[in-house]
Amino acid sequence: KQEVTQIPAALSVPEGENLVLNCSFTDSAIYNLQWFRQDPGKGLTSLLLIQSSQREQTSGRLNASLDKSSGRSTLYIAASQPGDSATYLCAVKAAGSYQLTFGKGTKLSVIP
Amino acid sequence: EPEVTQTPSHQVTQMGQEVILRCVPISNHLYFYWYRQILGQKVEFLVSFYNNEISEKSEIFDDQFSVERPDGSNFTLKIRSTKLEDSAMYFCASTRDRSTDTQYFGPGTRLTVL
C-alpha cells in the first residue's frame, strides 16, 4: 500500500527566504506526482504535476523535482512571500490506479 | 479558466439522515472522483467514476455511499444514513485522462453530522 510522508509538518520562514518542502513515497511504481496548495478551510489548488518520466517541473517561483527510484520529491519555493502561507500537499498516483494518495502536508508560514 | 464547482458549501444534518453532495466537473473531463478530509487528517480517496460506472473505490466507500452522474453535467455523492464520523470536508475532482492529467479539485462541501 502506497504511503506518502511529508517533512517537516510545519515550517516558519522570514519573507524573502528560499525554502524546500520534502515528500517521500514508499512505492516507486507511479504515474505521476502532484503538488497542491490548501488554504485554511478551502479546496486544493494544483501547483505542479510531474510525470513519472520527468525529473522536474517549474512554474514561476516554484520548482518541483522527482526522484522516482528513491521515492522522493521536493518543492522549492524561491523568494517566499507572506501570500505563500498555506499548507502544501504532495500526492502520488500509483501505476494502475485511479486514485491520488496524499501526504499530510507541510504548513508553511512566511513571516513579513 | 474552467473549474470544478460543488454545492452546498456547508451541509448540516442529523445522524441517520441521507445527504446528497453535488459537483459539476470540468466540462470536457471524463474521470470523476470523490475524496474526503476529516479535520486535521489526510485527504483520503473515496471513489473514481468513468463511463457511468465505478472504476475504483476505497475501503471507506461502503454500502452507505453511492455515486451517480444523473445528467451530462452533475456528479453526486449520496450518503444513505449519516454517522457522526462522516463529518468531513468532501472534495470532488475531475480529469481528462486517467494516468497523466492533473486532477482538478472543487472547493469542497463541509458536512457536519450532529
Side-chain angles (χ1 to χ4, degrees):
Chain A
K1 182 185 172 187
Q2 180 76 267
E3 296 285 343
V4 179
T5 303
Q6 292 187 246
I7 295 172
L11 181 64
S12 184
V13 300
E15 181 178 0
E17 194 161 293
N18 303 326
L19 59 102
V20 174
L21 308 180
N22 296 293
C23 171
S24 61
F25 48 94
T26 54
D27 186 348
S28 62
I30 64 170
Y31 278 140
N32 57 50
L33 183 146
Q34 220 170 320
W35 282 93
F36 293 88
R37 169 187 172 134
Q38 184 176 31
D39 293 286
K42 303 291 186 183
L44 309 178
T45 301
S46 180
L47 298 173
L48 289 164
L49 171 74
I50 311 179
Q51 304 296 350
S52 61
S53 58
Q54 298 175 322
R55 293 301 297 259
E56 65 178 84
Q57 281 288 333
T58 298
S59 176
R61 294 183 294 108
L62 305 180
N63 176 278
S65 69
L66 174 64
D67 183 344
K68 196 175 74 159
S69 60
S70 67
R72 295 183 184 188
S73 176
T74 61
L75 179 67
Y76 174 83
I77 302 177
S80 57
Q81 302 170 357
D84 295 330
S85 298
T87 296
Y88 290 80
L89 303 177
C90 165
V92 298
K93 180 178 283 185
S97 174
Y98 291 83
Q99 65 178 278
L100 288 175
T101 301
F102 283 81
K104 202 168 180 186
T106 294
K107 184 175 182 180
L108 173 66
S109 299
V110 181
I111 312 301
Chain B
E1 183 175 319
E3 58 184 19
V4 177
T5 60
Q6 291 185 242
T7 54
S9 57
H10 190 191
Q11 174 105 36
V12 180
T13 190
Q14 296 290 326
M15 191 169 55
Q17 294 296 304
E18 175 183 287
V19 294
I20 297 176
L21 310 183
R22 292 182 166 78
C23 167
V24 178
I26 295 173
S27 62
N28 63 346
H29 286 187
L30 301 176
Y31 296 82
F32 315 116
Y33 311 84
W34 284 101
Y35 292 81
R36 79 172 185 189
Q37 186 178 33
I38 295 171
L39 190 63
Q41 298 189 22
K42 292 184 179 184
V43 176
E44 302 172 289
F45 169 78
L46 293 177
V47 66
S48 62
F49 192 84
Y50 169 70
N51 200 25
N52 280 320
E53 60 183 29
I54 291 173
S55 46
E56 187 177 5
K57 62 182 181 179
S58 71
E59 296 167 350
I60 303 167
F61 194 87
D62 61 22
D63 291 344
Q64 291 299 309
F65 292 89
S66 63
V67 288
E68 190 179 30
R69 188 154 163 82
D71 54 43
S73 59
N74 290 283
F75 179 51
T76 62
L77 174 70
K78 182 193 289 186
I79 309 175
R80 273 183 252 290
S81 178
T82 50
K83 306 179 185 116
L84 295 176
E85 55 265 37
D86 293 327
S87 294
M89 184 77 98
Y90 288 80
F91 295 109
C92 174
S94 70
T95 187
R96 288 174 307 176
D97 177 274
R98 169 189 172 181
S99 54
T100 59
D101 199 22
T102 297
Q103 284 193 20
Y104 293 91
F105 280 70
T109 293
R110 179 165 298 285
L111 177 65
T112 302
V113 182
L114 302 176

